[in-house]
Amino acid sequence: MSTAPSTGDQPPNADDLPRAKRSLGQNFLVDPNTIRAIIGALRASPGDRVFEIGPGRGALTEEMLGQGLEVSVLEKDRVLARYLADRHPQLRVIVGDAMQFAWEGIRGDWRVIGNLPYNVASPIIWDLVARTPAARRMVFTVQKEVAQRLCAAPGSRAYGALSVWVQTFAGVHYERTLGGNVFRPRPKVDSAVVSLDPAGRSLSQAQQEALGQVLRVCFQKRRKQLGSILKSVWSPELEAWLEAQGLDRRVRPEALSPEAFLELARLVGGKI
Ligand SMILES: C[S@@+](CC[C@H](N)C(=O)[O-])C[C@H]1O[C@@H](n2cnc3c(N)ncnc32)[C@H](O)[C@@H]1O
């Protein structure tokens, strides 16, 4: 760990940099053009507040500070958190786990950014979008397959519970694919950048549980027909609602839009 006094404007000596820990998904961005492009996707202006998840050695953090953004970071690795706090006294550094963070505090004017640890990216985004309805734009670097699932449209192979859940709360846009050469160490999988624009939708805890339950049940059996999946809770109301959509009980879950799932959760959630 570097114990040098703050030298935010000096490039760190390679020997001072904390080693990458595989267990924490540490693949650090090293390509300046990619770093600028990811931050550009945030569409932030000087003075805007940005919350970064997993700042690592500060590749995105330092560029954002250089652009005059007001940055707070949440890092699980104490060594890296200390390294960043030492180098950047103006940075608000929180040592903590994004899987257990009180996201409700990120309200209003916050943008969110993160080159997320790949093994926990989906649950972090799942939680974050539901609990920060008023936040501004979010930009995440994730495994390419996860990015495809986040953006997937009904009927496509990648469309599933994660797509429906996240698109219930935000508009999702696939920004770009990243080759392994922009990271050190180089990850084994391809990566992609996605942006999310929260729609301002707030669901109660009960509504969230109902939607989560319906998604779990439906996408466990995505090739089955809805009438068979929901046999035990089928009702005339459900039948009438499907008919009004121009659908019937033979429809498969993967054909339903996020809005349709929300209505389905209202009709059957809590009963299955
Ligand atoms: C893929 S690296 C990205 C580092 C840096 N942002 C970059 O782009 O070079 C992921 C970062 O998230 C941190 N991390 C891993 N699990 C975390 C968790 N549960 N909560 C917060 N940070 C975590 C890792 O220590 C690491 O710094």
Side-chain angles (χ1 to χ4, degrees), residues 2 4-13 16-18 57-58 62 65 81-91:
S2 170
S6 170
T7 53
D9 50 352
Q10 298 288 318
N13 183 322
D16 289 342
L17 293 170
R57 293 172 175 171
E62 292 183 356
L65 290 172
R82 173 73 193 282
Y83 168 82
L84 284 176
D86 281 349
R87 284 177 56 79
H88 302 286
Q90 77 274 40
L91 189 65

mmCIF file with all atom_site columns, all heavy atoms in Angstrom, residues 2 4-13 16-18 57-58 62 65 81-91:
data_model
loop_
_atom_site.group_PDB
_atom_site.id
_atom_site.type_symbol
_atom_site.label_atom_id
_atom_site.label_alt_id
_atom_site.label_comp_id
_atom_site.label_asym_id
_atom_site.label_entity_id
_atom_site.label_seq_id
_atom_site.pdbx_PDB_ins_code
_atom_site.Cartn_x
_atom_site.Cartn_y
_atom_site.Cartn_z
_atom_site.occupancy
_atom_site.B_iso_or_equiv
_atom_site.pdbx_formal_charge
_atom_site.auth_seq_id
_atom_site.auth_comp_id
_atom_site.auth_asym_id
_atom_site.auth_atom_id
_atom_site.pdbx_PDB_model_num
ATOM 1   N N   . SER A 1 2  ? 0.494   2.223  -0.789  1.00 0.00 ? 2  SER A N   1
ATOM 2   C CA  . SER A 1 2  ? 1.224   3.479  -0.800  1.00 0.00 ? 2  SER A CA  1
ATOM 3   C C   . SER A 1 2  ? 0.914   4.269  0.461   1.00 0.00 ? 2  SER A C   1
ATOM 4   O O   . SER A 1 2  ? -0.237  4.409  0.848   1.00 0.00 ? 2  SER A O   1
ATOM 5   C CB  . SER A 1 2  ? 0.810   4.311  -2.013  1.00 0.00 ? 2  SER A CB  1
ATOM 6   O OG  . SER A 1 2  ? 1.338   5.602  -1.876  1.00 0.00 ? 2  SER A OG  1
ATOM 7   N N   . ALA A 1 4  ? 2.498   7.243  0.712   1.00 0.00 ? 4  ALA A N   1
ATOM 8   C CA  . ALA A 1 4  ? 2.995   8.560  0.327   1.00 0.00 ? 4  ALA A CA  1
ATOM 9   C C   . ALA A 1 4  ? 1.928   9.609  0.575   1.00 0.00 ? 4  ALA A C   1
ATOM 10  O O   . ALA A 1 4  ? 0.743   9.322  0.499   1.00 0.00 ? 4  ALA A O   1
ATOM 11  C CB  . ALA A 1 4  ? 3.364   8.545  -1.155  1.00 0.00 ? 4  ALA A CB  1
ATOM 12  N N   . PRO A 1 5  ? 2.350   10.848 0.905   1.00 0.00 ? 5  PRO A N   1
ATOM 13  C CA  . PRO A 1 5  ? 1.361   11.906 1.064   1.00 0.00 ? 5  PRO A CA  1
ATOM 14  C C   . PRO A 1 5  ? 0.656   12.177 -0.271  1.00 0.00 ? 5  PRO A C   1
ATOM 15  O O   . PRO A 1 5  ? 1.106   11.722 -1.306  1.00 0.00 ? 5  PRO A O   1
ATOM 16  C CB  . PRO A 1 5  ? 2.197   13.112 1.496   1.00 0.00 ? 5  PRO A CB  1
ATOM 17  C CG  . PRO A 1 5  ? 3.586   12.787 1.065   1.00 0.00 ? 5  PRO A CG  1
ATOM 18  C CD  . PRO A 1 5  ? 3.703   11.307 1.065   1.00 0.00 ? 5  PRO A CD  1
ATOM 19  N N   . SER A 1 6  ? -0.457  12.907 -0.195  1.00 0.00 ? 6  SER A N   1
ATOM 20  C CA  . SER A 1 6  ? -1.249  13.158 -1.396  1.00 0.00 ? 6  SER A CA  1
ATOM 21  C C   . SER A 1 6  ? -0.426  13.767 -2.511  1.00 0.00 ? 6  SER A C   1
ATOM 22  O O   . SER A 1 6  ? 0.247   14.778 -2.342  1.00 0.00 ? 6  SER A O   1
ATOM 23  C CB  . SER A 1 6  ? -2.387  14.107 -1.037  1.00 0.00 ? 6  SER A CB  1
ATOM 24  O OG  . SER A 1 6  ? -2.999  14.522 -2.222  1.00 0.00 ? 6  SER A OG  1
ATOM 25  N N   . THR A 1 7  ? -0.449  13.107 -3.662  1.00 0.00 ? 7  THR A N   1
ATOM 26  C CA  . THR A 1 7  ? 0.227   13.632 -4.849  1.00 0.00 ? 7  THR A CA  1
ATOM 27  C C   . THR A 1 7  ? -0.695  13.436 -6.032  1.00 0.00 ? 7  THR A C   1
ATOM 28  O O   . THR A 1 7  ? -0.317  12.866 -7.034  1.00 0.00 ? 7  THR A O   1
ATOM 29  C CB  . THR A 1 7  ? 1.543   12.882 -5.116  1.00 0.00 ? 7  THR A CB  1
ATOM 30  O OG1 . THR A 1 7  ? 1.237   11.490 -5.162  1.00 0.00 ? 7  THR A OG1 1
ATOM 31  C CG2 . THR A 1 7  ? 2.589   13.158 -4.063  1.00 0.00 ? 7  THR A CG2 1
ATOM 32  N N   . GLY A 1 8  ? -1.944  13.874 -5.870  1.00 0.00 ? 8  GLY A N   1
ATOM 33  C CA  . GLY A 1 8  ? -2.978  13.596 -6.855  1.00 0.00 ? 8  GLY A CA  1
ATOM 34  C C   . GLY A 1 8  ? -2.591  13.904 -8.281  1.00 0.00 ? 8  GLY A C   1
ATOM 35  O O   . GLY A 1 8  ? -3.056  13.254 -9.208  1.00 0.00 ? 8  GLY A O   1
ATOM 36  N N   . ASP A 1 9  ? -1.720  14.890 -8.520  1.00 0.00 ? 9  ASP A N   1
ATOM 37  C CA  . ASP A 1 9  ? -1.408  15.234 -9.897  1.00 0.00 ? 9  ASP A CA  1
ATOM 38  C C   . ASP A 1 9  ? -0.179  14.483 -10.426 1.00 0.00 ? 9  ASP A C   1
ATOM 39  O O   . ASP A 1 9  ? 0.217   14.650 -11.562 1.00 0.00 ? 9  ASP A O   1
ATOM 40  C CB  . ASP A 1 9  ? -1.210  16.757 -10.030 1.00 0.00 ? 9  ASP A CB  1
ATOM 41  C CG  . ASP A 1 9  ? -0.253  17.290 -8.985  1.00 0.00 ? 9  ASP A CG  1
ATOM 42  O OD1 . ASP A 1 9  ? 0.123   16.512 -8.076  1.00 0.00 ? 9  ASP A OD1 1
ATOM 43  O OD2 . ASP A 1 9  ? 0.111   18.470 -9.077  1.00 0.00 ? 9  ASP A OD2 1
ATOM 44  N N   . GLN A 1 10 ? 0.439   13.639 -9.589  1.00 0.00 ? 10 GLN A N   1
ATOM 45  C CA  . GLN A 1 10 ? 1.606   12.882 -10.023 1.00 0.00 ? 10 GLN A CA  1
ATOM 46  C C   . GLN A 1 10 ? 1.187   11.471 -10.438 1.00 0.00 ? 10 GLN A C   1
ATOM 47  O O   . GLN A 1 10 ? 0.429   10.828 -9.732  1.00 0.00 ? 10 GLN A O   1
ATOM 48  C CB  . GLN A 1 10 ? 2.596   12.719 -8.859  1.00 0.00 ? 10 GLN A CB  1
ATOM 49  C CG  . GLN A 1 10 ? 3.148   14.022 -8.318  1.00 0.00 ? 10 GLN A CG  1
ATOM 50  C CD  . GLN A 1 10 ? 4.124   14.659 -9.281  1.00 0.00 ? 10 GLN A CD  1
ATOM 51  O OE1 . GLN A 1 10 ? 4.938   13.962 -9.858  1.00 0.00 ? 10 GLN A OE1 1
ATOM 52  N NE2 . GLN A 1 10 ? 4.011   15.951 -9.472  1.00 0.00 ? 10 GLN A NE2 1
ATOM 53  N N   . PRO A 1 11 ? 1.668   10.963 -11.583 1.00 0.00 ? 11 PRO A N   1
ATOM 54  C CA  . PRO A 1 11 ? 1.353   9.563  -11.886 1.00 0.00 ? 11 PRO A CA  1
ATOM 55  C C   . PRO A 1 11 ? 2.026   8.650  -10.873 1.00 0.00 ? 11 PRO A C   1
ATOM 56  O O   . PRO A 1 11 ? 3.184   8.877  -10.509 1.00 0.00 ? 11 PRO A O   1
ATOM 57  C CB  . PRO A 1 11 ? 1.944   9.356  -13.292 1.00 0.00 ? 11 PRO A CB  1
ATOM 58  C CG  . PRO A 1 11 ? 2.872   10.495 -13.523 1.00 0.00 ? 11 PRO A CG  1
ATOM 59  C CD  . PRO A 1 11 ? 2.517   11.597 -12.578 1.00 0.00 ? 11 PRO A CD  1
ATOM 60  N N   . PRO A 1 12 ? 1.307   7.628  -10.362 1.00 0.00 ? 12 PRO A N   1
ATOM 61  C CA  . PRO A 1 12 ? 1.918   6.766  -9.357  1.00 0.00 ? 12 PRO A CA  1
ATOM 62  C C   . PRO A 1 12 ? 2.989   5.878  -9.967  1.00 0.00 ? 12 PRO A C   1
ATOM 63  O O   . PRO A 1 12 ? 2.894   5.492  -11.125 1.00 0.00 ? 12 PRO A O   1
ATOM 64  C CB  . PRO A 1 12 ? 0.734   5.930  -8.861  1.00 0.00 ? 12 PRO A CB  1
ATOM 65  C CG  . PRO A 1 12 ? -0.264  5.969  -9.969  1.00 0.00 ? 12 PRO A CG  1
ATOM 66  C CD  . PRO A 1 12 ? -0.063  7.258  -10.688 1.00 0.00 ? 12 PRO A CD  1
ATOM 67  N N   . ASN A 1 13 ? 3.987   5.576  -9.167  1.00 0.00 ? 13 ASN A N   1
ATOM 68  C CA  . ASN A 1 13 ? 4.995   4.616  -9.563  1.00 0.00 ? 13 ASN A CA  1
ATOM 69  C C   . ASN A 1 13 ? 4.345   3.230  -9.592  1.00 0.00 ? 13 ASN A C   1
ATOM 70  O O   . ASN A 1 13 ? 3.584   2.886  -8.696  1.00 0.00 ? 13 ASN A O   1
ATOM 71  C CB  . ASN A 1 13 ? 6.100   4.660  -8.486  1.00 0.00 ? 13 ASN A CB  1
ATOM 72  C CG  . ASN A 1 13 ? 7.246   3.755  -8.839  1.00 0.00 ? 13 ASN A CG  1
ATOM 73  O OD1 . ASN A 1 13 ? 7.039   2.666  -9.362  1.00 0.00 ? 13 ASN A OD1 1
ATOM 74  N ND2 . ASN A 1 13 ? 8.435   4.228  -8.557  1.00 0.00 ? 13 ASN A ND2 1
ATOM 75  N N   . ASP A 1 16 ? 4.153   1.228  -6.534  1.00 0.00 ? 16 ASP A N   1
ATOM 76  C CA  . ASP A 1 16 ? 3.291   1.689  -5.439  1.00 0.00 ? 16 ASP A CA  1
ATOM 77  C C   . ASP A 1 16 ? 1.868   1.151  -5.561  1.00 0.00 ? 16 ASP A C   1
ATOM 78  O O   . ASP A 1 16 ? 1.096   1.199  -4.614  1.00 0.00 ? 16 ASP A O   1
ATOM 79  C CB  . ASP A 1 16 ? 3.175   3.220  -5.452  1.00 0.00 ? 16 ASP A CB  1
ATOM 80  C CG  . ASP A 1 16 ? 4.478   3.869  -5.029  1.00 0.00 ? 16 ASP A CG  1
ATOM 81  O OD1 . ASP A 1 16 ? 5.303   3.159  -4.424  1.00 0.00 ? 16 ASP A OD1 1
ATOM 82  O OD2 . ASP A 1 16 ? 4.651   5.062  -5.325  1.00 0.00 ? 16 ASP A OD2 1
ATOM 83  N N   . LEU A 1 17 ? 1.498   0.696  -6.765  1.00 0.00 ? 17 LEU A N   1
ATOM 84  C CA  . LEU A 1 17 ? 0.107   0.316  -6.989  1.00 0.00 ? 17 LEU A CA  1
ATOM 85  C C   . LEU A 1 17 ? -0.217  -1.001 -6.303  1.00 0.00 ? 17 LEU A C   1
ATOM 86  O O   . LEU A 1 17 ? 0.518   -1.975 -6.447  1.00 0.00 ? 17 LEU A O   1
ATOM 87  C CB  . LEU A 1 17 ? -0.162  0.174  -8.494  1.00 0.00 ? 17 LEU A CB  1
ATOM 88  C CG  . LEU A 1 17 ? -0.100  1.472  -9.298  1.00 0.00 ? 17 LEU A CG  1
ATOM 89  C CD1 . LEU A 1 17 ? -0.135  1.177  -10.782 1.00 0.00 ? 17 LEU A CD1 1
ATOM 90  C CD2 . LEU A 1 17 ? -1.248  2.387  -8.916  1.00 0.00 ? 17 LEU A CD2 1
ATOM 91  N N   . PRO A 1 18 ? -1.333  -1.028 -5.553  1.00 0.00 ? 18 PRO A N   1
ATOM 92  C CA  . PRO A 1 18 ? -1.731  -2.287 -4.928  1.00 0.00 ? 18 PRO A CA  1
ATOM 93  C C   . PRO A 1 18 ? -1.980  -3.348 -6.002  1.00 0.00 ? 18 PRO A C   1
ATOM 94  O O   . PRO A 1 18 ? -2.474  -3.041 -7.073  1.00 0.00 ? 18 PRO A O   1
ATOM 95  C CB  . PRO A 1 18 ? -3.039  -1.927 -4.206  1.00 0.00 ? 18 PRO A CB  1
ATOM 96  C CG  . PRO A 1 18 ? -3.023  -0.442 -4.078  1.00 0.00 ? 18 PRO A CG  1
ATOM 97  C CD  . PRO A 1 18 ? -2.245  0.085  -5.232  1.00 0.00 ? 18 PRO A CD  1
ATOM 98  N N   . ARG A 1 57 ? -8.003  1.315  -8.580  1.00 0.00 ? 57 ARG A N   1
ATOM 99  C CA  . ARG A 1 57 ? -6.821  2.185  -8.510  1.00 0.00 ? 57 ARG A CA  1
ATOM 100 C C   . ARG A 1 57 ? -7.139  3.604  -8.954  1.00 0.00 ? 57 ARG A C   1
ATOM 101 O O   . ARG A 1 57 ? -6.239  4.428  -9.060  1.00 0.00 ? 57 ARG A O   1
ATOM 102 C CB  . ARG A 1 57 ? -5.728  1.624  -9.391  1.00 0.00 ? 57 ARG A CB  1
ATOM 103 C CG  . ARG A 1 57 ? -5.149  0.306  -8.909  1.00 0.00 ? 57 ARG A CG  1
ATOM 104 C CD  . ARG A 1 57 ? -4.230  -0.237 -9.978  1.00 0.00 ? 57 ARG A CD  1
ATOM 105 N NE  . ARG A 1 57 ? -3.539  -1.434 -9.561  1.00 0.00 ? 57 ARG A NE  1
ATOM 106 C CZ  . ARG A 1 57 ? -2.824  -2.182 -10.402 1.00 0.00 ? 57 ARG A CZ  1
ATOM 107 N NH1 . ARG A 1 57 ? -2.734  -1.844 -11.671 1.00 0.00 ? 57 ARG A NH1 1
ATOM 108 N NH2 . ARG A 1 57 ? -2.220  -3.262 -9.968  1.00 0.00 ? 57 ARG A NH2 1
ATOM 109 N N   . GLY A 1 58 ? -8.408  3.849  -9.316  1.00 0.00 ? 58 GLY A N   1
ATOM 110 C CA  . GLY A 1 58 ? -8.820  5.227  -9.602  1.00 0.00 ? 58 GLY A CA  1
ATOM 111 C C   . GLY A 1 58 ? -8.786  5.630  -11.067 1.00 0.00 ? 58 GLY A C   1
ATOM 112 O O   . GLY A 1 58 ? -8.786  6.831  -11.381 1.00 0.00 ? 58 GLY A O   1
ATOM 113 N N   . GLU A 1 62 ? -9.955  9.361  -11.222 1.00 0.00 ? 62 GLU A N   1
ATOM 114 C CA  . GLU A 1 62 ? -9.016  10.471 -11.428 1.00 0.00 ? 62 GLU A CA  1
ATOM 115 C C   . GLU A 1 62 ? -9.392  11.291 -12.647 1.00 0.00 ? 62 GLU A C   1
ATOM 116 O O   . GLU A 1 62 ? -9.292  12.521 -12.650 1.00 0.00 ? 62 GLU A O   1
ATOM 117 C CB  . GLU A 1 62 ? -7.594  9.920  -11.520 1.00 0.00 ? 62 GLU A CB  1
ATOM 118 C CG  . GLU A 1 62 ? -7.175  9.368  -10.156 1.00 0.00 ? 62 GLU A CG  1
ATOM 119 C CD  . GLU A 1 62 ? -5.749  8.847  -10.094 1.00 0.00 ? 62 GLU A CD  1
ATOM 120 O OE1 . GLU A 1 62 ? -5.062  8.832  -11.137 1.00 0.00 ? 62 GLU A OE1 1
ATOM 121 O OE2 . GLU A 1 62 ? -5.333  8.452  -8.990  1.00 0.00 ? 62 GLU A OE2 1
ATOM 122 N N   . LEU A 1 65 ? -12.351 13.435 -11.541 1.00 0.00 ? 65 LEU A N   1
ATOM 123 C CA  . LEU A 1 65 ? -11.909 14.570 -10.716 1.00 0.00 ? 65 LEU A CA  1
ATOM 124 C C   . LEU A 1 65 ? -11.265 15.632 -11.600 1.00 0.00 ? 65 LEU A C   1
ATOM 125 O O   . LEU A 1 65 ? -11.500 16.834 -11.430 1.00 0.00 ? 65 LEU A O   1
ATOM 126 C CB  . LEU A 1 65 ? -10.913 14.093 -9.649  1.00 0.00 ? 65 LEU A CB  1
ATOM 127 C CG  . LEU A 1 65 ? -11.491 13.222 -8.519  1.00 0.00 ? 65 LEU A CG  1
ATOM 128 C CD1 . LEU A 1 65 ? -10.365 12.665 -7.648  1.00 0.00 ? 65 LEU A CD1 1
ATOM 129 C CD2 . LEU A 1 65 ? -12.481 14.020 -7.665  1.00 0.00 ? 65 LEU A CD2 1
ATOM 130 N N   . ALA A 1 81 ? -8.969  1.551  -1.057  1.00 0.00 ? 81 ALA A N   1
ATOM 131 C CA  . ALA A 1 81 ? -9.687  2.728  -0.540  1.00 0.00 ? 81 ALA A CA  1
ATOM 132 C C   . ALA A 1 81 ? -8.690  3.690  0.114   1.00 0.00 ? 81 ALA A C   1
ATOM 133 O O   . ALA A 1 81 ? -8.728  4.908  -0.105  1.00 0.00 ? 81 ALA A O   1
ATOM 134 C CB  . ALA A 1 81 ? -10.746 2.282  0.465   1.00 0.00 ? 81 ALA A CB  1
ATOM 135 N N   . ARG A 1 82 ? -7.767  3.127  0.867   1.00 0.00 ? 82 ARG A N   1
ATOM 136 C CA  . ARG A 1 82 ? -6.757  3.941  1.553   1.00 0.00 ? 82 ARG A CA  1
ATOM 137 C C   . ARG A 1 82 ? -5.820  4.609  0.536   1.00 0.00 ? 82 ARG A C   1
ATOM 138 O O   . ARG A 1 82 ? -5.461  5.777  0.664   1.00 0.00 ? 82 ARG A O   1
ATOM 139 C CB  . ARG A 1 82 ? -5.989  3.012  2.501   1.00 0.00 ? 82 ARG A CB  1
ATOM 140 C CG  . ARG A 1 82 ? -4.809  3.628  3.182   1.00 0.00 ? 82 ARG A CG  1
ATOM 141 C CD  . ARG A 1 82 ? -5.264  4.618  4.269   1.00 0.00 ? 82 ARG A CD  1
ATOM 142 N NE  . ARG A 1 82 ? -4.132  5.410  4.676   1.00 0.00 ? 82 ARG A NE  1
ATOM 143 C CZ  . ARG A 1 82 ? -3.189  4.986  5.479   1.00 0.00 ? 82 ARG A CZ  1
ATOM 144 N NH1 . ARG A 1 82 ? -3.275  3.767  5.997   1.00 0.00 ? 82 ARG A NH1 1
ATOM 145 N NH2 . ARG A 1 82 ? -2.181  5.762  5.800   1.00 0.00 ? 82 ARG A NH2 1
ATOM 146 N N   . TYR A 1 83 ? -5.454  3.840  -0.481  1.00 0.00 ? 83 TYR A N   1
ATOM 147 C CA  . TYR A 1 83 ? -4.575  4.337  -1.544  1.00 0.00 ? 83 TYR A CA  1
ATOM 148 C C   . TYR A 1 83 ? -5.201  5.573  -2.209  1.00 0.00 ? 83 TYR A C   1
ATOM 149 O O   . TYR A 1 83 ? -4.543  6.600  -2.408  1.00 0.00 ? 83 TYR A O   1
ATOM 150 C CB  . TYR A 1 83 ? -4.365  3.206  -2.557  1.00 0.00 ? 83 TYR A CB  1
ATOM 151 C CG  . TYR A 1 83 ? -3.729  3.594  -3.860  1.00 0.00 ? 83 TYR A CG  1
ATOM 152 C CD1 . TYR A 1 83 ? -2.352  3.720  -3.979  1.00 0.00 ? 83 TYR A CD1 1
ATOM 153 C CD2 . TYR A 1 83 ? -4.512  3.798  -4.995  1.00 0.00 ? 83 TYR A CD2 1
ATOM 154 C CE1 . TYR A 1 83 ? -1.768  4.062  -5.194  1.00 0.00 ? 83 TYR A CE1 1
ATOM 155 C CE2 . TYR A 1 83 ? -3.938  4.141  -6.208  1.00 0.00 ? 83 TYR A CE2 1
ATOM 156 C CZ  . TYR A 1 83 ? -2.571  4.277  -6.303  1.00 0.00 ? 83 TYR A CZ  1
ATOM 157 O OH  . TYR A 1 83 ? -2.013  4.615  -7.506  1.00 0.00 ? 83 TYR A OH  1
ATOM 158 N N   . LEU A 1 84 ? -6.512  5.475  -2.507  1.00 0.00 ? 84 LEU A N   1
ATOM 159 C CA  . LEU A 1 84 ? -7.195  6.594  -3.172  1.00 0.00 ? 84 LEU A CA  1
ATOM 160 C C   . LEU A 1 84 ? -7.363  7.783  -2.230  1.00 0.00 ? 84 LEU A C   1
ATOM 161 O O   . LEU A 1 84 ? -7.175  8.940  -2.624  1.00 0.00 ? 84 LEU A O   1
ATOM 162 C CB  . LEU A 1 84 ? -8.574  6.154  -3.678  1.00 0.00 ? 84 LEU A CB  1
ATOM 163 C CG  . LEU A 1 84 ? -8.577  5.293  -4.930  1.00 0.00 ? 84 LEU A CG  1
ATOM 164 C CD1 . LEU A 1 84 ? -10.003 4.862  -5.264  1.00 0.00 ? 84 LEU A CD1 1
ATOM 165 C CD2 . LEU A 1 84 ? -7.978  6.050  -6.123  1.00 0.00 ? 84 LEU A CD2 1
ATOM 166 N N   . ALA A 1 85 ? -7.720  7.500  -0.983  1.00 0.00 ? 85 ALA A N   1
ATOM 167 C CA  . ALA A 1 85 ? -7.925  8.583  -0.007  1.00 0.00 ? 85 ALA A CA  1
ATOM 168 C C   . ALA A 1 85 ? -6.626  9.347  0.208   1.00 0.00 ? 85 ALA A C   1
ATOM 169 O O   . ALA A 1 85 ? -6.622  10.578 0.330   1.00 0.00 ? 85 ALA A O   1
ATOM 170 C CB  . ALA A 1 85 ? -8.436  8.003  1.308   1.00 0.00 ? 85 ALA A CB  1
ATOM 171 N N   . ASP A 1 86 ? -5.495  8.633  0.218   1.00 0.00 ? 86 ASP A N   1
ATOM 172 C CA  . ASP A 1 86 ? -4.188  9.281  0.392   1.00 0.00 ? 86 ASP A CA  1
ATOM 173 C C   . ASP A 1 86 ? -3.853  10.200 -0.788  1.00 0.00 ? 86 ASP A C   1
ATOM 174 O O   . ASP A 1 86 ? -3.278  11.262 -0.619  1.00 0.00 ? 86 ASP A O   1
ATOM 175 C CB  . ASP A 1 86 ? -3.082  8.215  0.496   1.00 0.00 ? 86 ASP A CB  1
ATOM 176 C CG  . ASP A 1 86 ? -3.034  7.592  1.883   1.00 0.00 ? 86 ASP A CG  1
ATOM 177 O OD1 . ASP A 1 86 ? -3.711  8.131  2.784   1.00 0.00 ? 86 ASP A OD1 1
ATOM 178 O OD2 . ASP A 1 86 ? -2.333  6.577  2.044   1.00 0.00 ? 86 ASP A OD2 1
ATOM 179 N N   . ARG A 1 87 ? -4.208  9.751  -1.972  1.00 0.00 ? 87 ARG A N   1
ATOM 180 C CA  . ARG A 1 87 ? -3.844  10.513 -3.178  1.00 0.00 ? 87 ARG A CA  1
ATOM 181 C C   . ARG A 1 87 ? -4.780  11.684 -3.439  1.00 0.00 ? 87 ARG A C   1
ATOM 182 O O   . ARG A 1 87 ? -4.388  12.653 -4.093  1.00 0.00 ? 87 ARG A O   1
ATOM 183 C CB  . ARG A 1 87 ? -3.858  9.593  -4.403  1.00 0.00 ? 87 ARG A CB  1
ATOM 184 C CG  . ARG A 1 87 ? -2.648  8.682  -4.484  1.00 0.00 ? 87 ARG A CG  1
ATOM 185 C CD  . ARG A 1 87 ? -2.741  7.757  -5.670  1.00 0.00 ? 87 ARG A CD  1
ATOM 186 N NE  . ARG A 1 87 ? -2.920  8.429  -6.948  1.00 0.00 ? 87 ARG A NE  1
ATOM 187 C CZ  . ARG A 1 87 ? -1.949  9.020  -7.633  1.00 0.00 ? 87 ARG A CZ  1
ATOM 188 N NH1 . ARG A 1 87 ? -0.727  9.068  -7.143  1.00 0.00 ? 87 ARG A NH1 1
ATOM 189 N NH2 . ARG A 1 87 ? -2.202  9.583  -8.788  1.00 0.00 ? 87 ARG A NH2 1
ATOM 190 N N   . HIS A 1 88 ? -6.055  11.573 -2.984  1.00 0.00 ? 88 HIS A N   1
ATOM 191 C CA  . HIS A 1 88 ? -7.055  12.586 -3.351  1.00 0.00 ? 88 HIS A CA  1
ATOM 192 C C   . HIS A 1 88 ? -7.835  13.045 -2.133  1.00 0.00 ? 88 HIS A C   1
ATOM 193 O O   . HIS A 1 88 ? -8.918  12.499 -1.844  1.00 0.00 ? 88 HIS A O   1
ATOM 194 C CB  . HIS A 1 88 ? -8.015  12.019 -4.403  1.00 0.00 ? 88 HIS A CB  1
ATOM 195 C CG  . HIS A 1 88 ? -7.321  11.559 -5.635  1.00 0.00 ? 88 HIS A CG  1
ATOM 196 N ND1 . HIS A 1 88 ? -6.803  12.438 -6.568  1.00 0.00 ? 88 HIS A ND1 1
ATOM 197 C CD2 . HIS A 1 88 ? -7.027  10.320 -6.076  1.00 0.00 ? 88 HIS A CD2 1
ATOM 198 C CE1 . HIS A 1 88 ? -6.233  11.750 -7.539  1.00 0.00 ? 88 HIS A CE1 1
ATOM 199 N NE2 . HIS A 1 88 ? -6.346  10.479 -7.272  1.00 0.00 ? 88 HIS A NE2 1
ATOM 200 N N   . PRO A 1 89 ? -7.339  14.022 -1.411  1.00 0.00 ? 89 PRO A N   1
ATOM 201 C CA  . PRO A 1 89 ? -8.018  14.455 -0.185  1.00 0.00 ? 89 PRO A CA  1
ATOM 202 C C   . PRO A 1 89 ? -9.434  14.977 -0.456  1.00 0.00 ? 89 PRO A C   1
ATOM 203 O O   . PRO A 1 89 ? -10.287 14.944 0.431   1.00 0.00 ? 89 PRO A O   1
ATOM 204 C CB  . PRO A 1 89 ? -7.137  15.591 0.336   1.00 0.00 ? 89 PRO A CB  1
ATOM 205 C CG  . PRO A 1 89 ? -5.900  15.578 -0.482  1.00 0.00 ? 89 PRO A CG  1
ATOM 206 C CD  . PRO A 1 89 ? -6.129  14.769 -1.706  1.00 0.00 ? 89 PRO A CD  1
ATOM 207 N N   . GLN A 1 90 ? -9.699  15.449 -1.668  1.00 0.00 ? 90 GLN A N   1
ATOM 208 C CA  . GLN A 1 90 ? -11.040 15.995 -1.970  1.00 0.00 ? 90 GLN A CA  1
ATOM 209 C C   . GLN A 1 90 ? -12.066 14.903 -2.252  1.00 0.00 ? 90 GLN A C   1
ATOM 210 O O   . GLN A 1 90 ? -13.258 15.180 -2.390  1.00 0.00 ? 90 GLN A O   1
ATOM 211 C CB  . GLN A 1 90 ? -10.993 16.969 -3.157  1.00 0.00 ? 90 GLN A CB  1
ATOM 212 C CG  . GLN A 1 90 ? -10.882 16.344 -4.547  1.00 0.00 ? 90 GLN A CG  1
ATOM 213 C CD  . GLN A 1 90 ? -9.460  16.033 -4.984  1.00 0.00 ? 90 GLN A CD  1
ATOM 214 O OE1 . GLN A 1 90 ? -8.640  15.567 -4.188  1.00 0.00 ? 90 GLN A OE1 1
ATOM 215 N NE2 . GLN A 1 90 ? -9.167  16.287 -6.244  1.00 0.00 ? 90 GLN A NE2 1
ATOM 216 N N   . LEU A 1 91 ? -11.592 13.648 -2.343  1.00 0.00 ? 91 LEU A N   1
ATOM 217 C CA  . LEU A 1 91 ? -12.475 12.533 -2.685  1.00 0.00 ? 91 LEU A CA  1
ATOM 218 C C   . LEU A 1 91 ? -13.147 11.997 -1.427  1.00 0.00 ? 91 LEU A C   1
ATOM 219 O O   . LEU A 1 91 ? -12.495 11.811 -0.402  1.00 0.00 ? 91 LEU A O   1
ATOM 220 C CB  . LEU A 1 91 ? -11.607 11.430 -3.313  1.00 0.00 ? 91 LEU A CB  1
ATOM 221 C CG  . LEU A 1 91 ? -12.295 10.234 -3.941  1.00 0.00 ? 91 LEU A CG  1
ATOM 222 C CD1 . LEU A 1 91 ? -13.110 10.657 -5.160  1.00 0.00 ? 91 LEU A CD1 1
ATOM 223 C CD2 . LEU A 1 91 ? -11.230 9.201  -4.356  1.00 0.00 ? 91 LEU A CD2 1
#
